[in-house]
Amino acid sequence: MTENRLNPYEYDRSTALIVVDLQNDFADPAGSLHVNGGEHLARLINAEIATARKAGSFVVYTQDWHPPRTAHFVTDGGVWPVHCVAGTWGAAFPADLQVMGPSVRKGTGGEDGYSGFTVQDQHTGERQPTSLEGLLRDKSIGTVVVAGLATDYCVKETALDAVALGFRTVVARPAIRPVDLKAGDGDRAIDDMTRGGVIVA
Ligand code: VGL
Ligand code: ZN
């Protein structure tokens, strides 16, 4: 009965589920920045989406949405292989993911940054908000549940920003996976989130 539940927290109308960057380039084994185990998340997160919707919770998605050339990519001085280029297969949601709410696309102007709440100018470091906070405030959301990819980048930064913005923040541990550029990055990210006030459950 409860075996598909990813966390012990109840959904209600003041809770939102944020599905972070579940996109082919990260989730599909054929993607350019495939995250180990990412291919299992759509099924797990679909169950969470169903639970959330039944309780009247808001479901919102983020997508990494880069231009073909950005200093985020190794081809222009960054660290990452080219991924999630706007409008490509790699940037799309996996075909089996249930999409039941709006998507916030980030990095569209070539900005850097990993949080779904903010993008960052690569040169000045200046942060600009995305539309995500406004979407949550419009619905009087108090608690956010975060799931998706990747634990050590966008999940971590999104969850820590959510805490900073005053949301009670739960990360659904079974429904996240790390890039682990360095071994242990995912575990360190979980420690960082926990220390930062995120409930990792
Ligand atoms: C991400 C690396 C580069 C993420 C995005 O979604 O966690 N990671 N761009
Ligand atoms: Zn990216």
Side-chain angles (χ1 to χ4, degrees):
M1 252 191 317
T2 55
E3 70 198 28
N4 281 333
R5 293 301 316 281
L6 298 175
N7 67 70
Y9 298 89
E10 290 306 311
Y11 285 96
D12 60 23
R13 285 173 193 283
S14 69
T15 302
L17 172 61
I18 306 176
V19 180
V20 173
D21 293 10
L22 203 65
Q23 295 170 264
N24 288 322
D25 269 339
F26 302 124
D28 193 294
S32 64
L33 188 41
H34 175 239
V35 177
N36 267 330
E39 64 276 20
H40 305 306
L41 291 194
R43 188 179 51 80
L44 284 167
I45 291 176
N46 282 344
E48 198 69 4
I49 291 166
T51 305
R53 294 209 6 123
K54 228 177 275 170
S57 297
F58 179 48
V59 181
V60 59
Y61 302 74
T62 67
Q63 282 172 295
D64 216 25
W65 202 260
H66 299 298
R69 301 209 48 181
T70 160
H72 185 70
F73 294 158
V74 68
T75 44
D76 281 279
V79 295
W80 303 110
V82 174
H83 63 274
C84 297
V85 173
T88 62
W89 171 84
F93 295 118
D96 55 347
L97 178 68
Q98 296 280 325
V99 182
M100 307 296 245
S103 173
V104 173
R105 292 171 169 174
K106 60 195 168 63
T108 55
E111 310 90 337
D112 215 334
Y114 298 108
S115 169
F117 287 99
T118 50
V119 291
Q120 194 166 12
D121 185 283
Q122 278 143 345
H123 307 293
T124 65
E126 194 191 326
R127 283 172 175 256
Q128 293 287 337
T130 67
S131 60
L132 181 55
E133 184 188 359
L135 289 171
L136 301 174
R137 300 286 184 216
D138 281 349
K139 303 212 170 327
S140 303
I141 298 299
T143 294
V144 296
V145 178
V146 180
L149 296 168
T151 308
D152 33 0
Y153 293 93
C154 291
V155 167
K156 172 181 155 178
E157 296 302 326
T158 300
L160 289 174
D161 267 357
V163 170
L165 291 167
F167 296 103
R168 180 169 167 273
T169 306
V170 179
V171 163
R173 190 166 184 169
I176 58 175
R177 295 290 185 282
V179 177
D180 273 344
L181 271 188
K182 277 203 312 289
D185 280 354
D187 291 339
R188 280 187 288 275
I190 286 171
D191 289 346
D192 291 346
M193 288 191 279
T194 303
R195 262 199 304 274
V198 176
I199 303 157
V200 183

